[in-house]
Amino acid sequence: MEATGTLFGWAFGDSAREDDQVYVDGLRHEALENARQAARSKGFDVEPGSEVFTILSAGDALVDIDTAPDNLVVRCTVKLTGEGASKVHAEGPMNG
């Protein structure tokens, strides 16, 4: 079995629309695509179906997101595959 690593993708949106499921689904798609692009730029593939989404909005998180655009943040964590992927791990707010 090939070892995997993890990586984050991001999307930022309008917190006034966080109850609009179609809008939030679009942000999830954007965050997944951001993760795929980041993986490709590092020479890795994304394991299909491995995506996990976290939605952060002002007042709902223990992190300071007051500096994030519009205060709605969608983070997508994916598993990476490829040689050396096991050395890459999403940590904290960034990709390690």
Side-chain angles (χ1 to χ4, degrees), residues 4-81:
T4 62
T6 55
L7 186 130
F8 291 139
W10 301 93
F12 302 94
D14 181 356
S15 62
R17 297 184 64 190
E18 69 181 306
D19 293 328
D20 179 344
Q21 192 60 50
V22 172
Y23 178 72
V24 173
D25 287 347
L27 291 175
R28 285 182 176 150
H29 176 76
E30 185 179 326
L32 176 57
E33 189 54 35
N34 178 260
R36 286 179 178 145
Q37 289 174 6
R40 278 192 299 272
S41 76
K42 296 178 181 295
F44 302 115
D45 293 317
V46 171
E47 183 178 300
S50 68
E51 58 272 9
V52 175
F53 298 96
T54 303
I55 299 174
L56 305 170
S57 61
D60 293 336
L62 297 175
V63 296
D64 177 16
I65 61 170
D66 290 335
T67 57
D70 301 315
N71 296 328
L72 181 63
V73 179
V74 177
R75 183 184 72 195
C76 178
T77 307
V78 295
K79 288 184 182 179
L80 301 176
T81 60

Side-chain angles (χ1 to χ4, degrees), residues 4-5 84-89 96:
T4 62
S86 63
K87 296 177 183 176
V88 178
H89 299 287

